Amino acid sequence: MYRRERSIPLRGSAAPLCNNLSVLQLSARKLTYFGVVHGPSAQLLSVAPEGVPLAQRQLHAKEGAGVSPPLMTQVHWCVLPFRVLLVLTSHRGIQMYESNRNTMVYWHALDSGDASPVQAVFARGIAASGHFIFVGTWSGRVLVFDIPVKGPNIILSEELAGHQTPITDIATEPAQGQDCVADMVTADDSGLLCVWQSGPEFTLLTRIPGFGVPCPSVKLWQGIIAAGYGNGQVRLYEAATGNLHVQINAHARAICALDLAPELLSAGEDTFVHIWKLSRSPESGYTEVEHCHGECVSDTQLCGARFCDSSGSSFAVTGYDLAEIRMFSSV
């Protein structure tokens, strides 16, 4: 069970974009960072225990080429083994910052290429694994950035081609040294999932077809893909084979965010957040799901939700036209 705690005020509401909340916990400093985008800027907050806001700052989208102001599409803290970078995406490009200050260490401008004049150009979907950061694009390609231990010498090392429609989200999981282990999944606006194995070169292991609705959010858990769809369903697939384990009619409207820590959190545009316990059946090896908690944020189109710590003892949600981050903690 969870109860509502003190909310964290925002200078403006969150934009109605899926996965519009990023959380970074710094246990050593007893701080939690929150990031939300709206319009051309990202709001970044540092919060002490008991939900007391300490500082709030804004980072703006780099202009790049174009006549109209660029709009932010996502903010995400990428935790690598040797450093933490703050990554912002927009309709112009990809910005990377040192996580503890406003220093931009890398800027990648998006190339419109063969895009038609009426086609939106943007980056969206951010994840990290090993010494790589992955960012999705409107073209369906996934950009792979090789990150050095320190400094700005970041390299675009590869572009992964598996999708024909815009990327919506990317999830990663440590491969743990096993052979043929799927350790990354990418999702797109058609609902297609592409499952990858990382290494010196990235290998596309399998494609899981869509069924006519977008897949706004994905997560990886012990080789299982949790995918949230625009029809409110959560589907759990075996990453290595693409076999469907479980289908949950979780929400009455589109899912806007999923998270894991270690339970599964799902948030939808129907104003509800649900917590699900995942486990594997020792007899069949299939995934079993148990509903643990539901929370309604009345009259609010949710657009972001994240656990605030690795144990899942608290979570936060954002909503369109809601000038605060709602906080909930376990009883």
Side-chain angles (χ1 to χ4, degrees):
M1 294 292 293
Y2 291 79
R3 66 184 178 194
R4 183 177 170 183
E5 300 290 353
R6 177 191 299 179
S7 296
I8 301 169
L10 295 170
R11 290 176 181 168
S13 72
L17 302 169
C18 292
N19 306 308
N20 192 2
L21 176 64
S22 184
V23 178
L24 173 67
Q25 186 184 47
L26 299 178
S27 301
R29 299 175 59 187
K30 297 183 179 179
L31 288 177
T32 304
Y33 290 159
F34 296 89
V36 179
V37 301
H38 186 93
S41 64
Q43 300 181 64
L44 306 174
L45 303 94
S46 58
V47 179
E50 310 301 328
V52 180
L54 296 181
Q56 187 167 172
R57 59 192 174 104
Q58 287 187 321
L59 292 177
H60 294 275
K62 185 176 172 65
E63 292 290 336
V67 295
S68 60
L71 298 178
M72 287 282 191
T73 52
Q74 196 173 357
V75 56
H76 186 69
W77 275 280
C78 290
V79 181
L80 303 166
F82 43 84
R83 69 193 295 188
V84 178
L85 292 179
L86 175 67
V87 180
L88 306 178
T89 56
S90 73
H91 288 252
R92 293 282 191 272
I94 300 158
Q95 301 164 221
M96 299 187 187
Y97 293 81
E98 296 289 0
S99 64
N100 58 351
R101 55 186 184 273
N102 293 341
T103 305
M104 186 190 295
V105 295
Y106 186 75
W107 156 252
H108 178 84
L110 294 177
D111 181 5
S112 58
D114 298 328
S116 68
V118 296
Q119 186 175 11
V121 175
F122 59 88
R124 177 182 62 188
I126 309 167
S129 180
H131 55 95
F132 297 110
I133 287 178
F134 311 96
V135 181
T137 67
W138 88 100
S139 68
R141 289 185 173 267
V142 177
L143 308 182
V144 182
F145 296 96
D146 197 338
I147 311 299
V149 173
K150 60 181 179 179
N153 296 323
I154 295 169
I155 299 169
L156 175 60
S157 62
E158 194 172 352
E159 296 187 24
L160 306 181
H163 297 268
Q164 300 300 316
T165 60
I167 301 296
T168 53
D169 198 19
I170 303 173
T172 59
E173 182 180 43
Q176 300 174 344
Q178 303 175 45
D179 292 334
C180 300
V181 167
D183 53 10
M184 184 172 74
V185 60
T186 53
D188 69 21
D189 272 340
S190 74
L192 172 70
L193 305 178
C194 287
V195 186
W196 307 84
Q197 181 186 21
S198 64
E201 294 184 358
F202 287 81
T203 304
L204 178 59
L205 297 180
T206 187
R207 286 185 174 92
I208 302 173
F211 49 95
V213 294
C215 178
S217 195
V218 288
K219 291 293 174 185
L220 270 172
W221 172 79
Q222 298 181 13
I224 296 295
I225 298 169
Y229 290 92
N231 63 353
Q233 289 182 351
V234 175
R235 293 187 173 196
L236 304 181
Y237 298 94
E238 187 78 41
T241 63
N243 293 335
L244 177 65
H245 281 207
V246 179
Q247 176 180 301
I248 312 164
N249 294 319
H251 294 269
R253 296 185 65 185
I255 288 174
C256 64
L258 297 178
D259 200 14
L260 280 166
E263 285 80 18
L264 176 68
L265 177 153
S266 66
E269 293 180 357
D270 59 357
T271 76
F272 277 91
V273 180
H274 292 294
I275 308 293
W276 313 85
K277 182 180 179 180
L278 305 182
S279 59
R280 281 186 179 270
S281 167
E283 292 82 15
S284 65
Y286 271 71
T287 307
E288 297 179 345
V289 181
E290 177 186 352
H291 183 260
C292 298
H293 182 76
E295 195 74 47
C296 178
V297 183
S298 300
D299 304 318
T300 302
Q301 177 186 329
L302 299 182
C303 48
R306 289 287 183 269
F307 284 113
C308 299
D309 54 66
S310 58
S311 66
S313 64
S314 63
F315 66 88
V317 300
T318 56
Y320 177 57
D321 217 16
L322 186 68
E324 61 185 16
I325 299 174
R326 291 279 178 91
M327 301 294 299
F328 300 86
S329 64
S330 59
V331 178

